[in-house]
Amino acid sequence: MEQPRIQEHDENQKEFRDILSKYGLTQAEAAALITNETGQSVGTRKIRSWLAGVSIPSSRKCPKWALTALKRTTENLSEEK
């Protein structure tokens, strides 16, 4: 029962990390991009919890909406360059 949650957590986290790396974004920059895209307040602390290992108590699964928002905004960034 716990395995699918961990797998999805890992997949979302890997994709999130890949986007940060590809565009050279800091956690604070990612938080600002997601906040601007969605209108939901996302802080650096929340980003940190999404990137924390699943065994860490403060770890949270990165929600799909945040990942989608980050992908959308970074695509826009690359188009502007």
Side-chain angles (χ1 to χ4, degrees):
M1 190 96 151
E2 198 63 17
Q3 197 65 346
R5 179 190 174 279
I6 293 171
Q7 185 177 355
E8 185 179 1
H9 180 279
D10 290 346
E11 288 170 5
N12 287 357
Q13 188 181 84
K14 181 185 180 324
E15 193 170 356
F16 199 95
R17 283 184 187 281
D18 289 347
I19 293 169
L20 293 182
S21 177
K22 179 178 180 180
Y23 295 97
L25 297 172
T26 65
Q27 293 176 8
E29 290 168 333
L33 288 172
I34 294 168
T35 296
N36 290 339
E37 181 69 20
T38 65
Q40 293 189 48
S41 180
V42 174
T44 306
R45 259 179 147 175
K46 193 171 280 189
I47 300 291
R48 254 185 260 136
S49 74
W50 295 340
L51 296 174
V54 74
S55 62
I56 297 173
S58 63
S59 175
R60 300 290 178 264
K61 187 182 93 167
C62 176
K64 205 65 171 160
W65 62 263
L67 199 49
T68 300
L70 186 60
K71 282 191 237 180
R72 208 168 29 231
T73 59
T74 54
E75 286 170 5
N76 292 339
L77 285 177
S78 63
E79 288 173 9
E80 292 172 6
K81 289 184 179 177

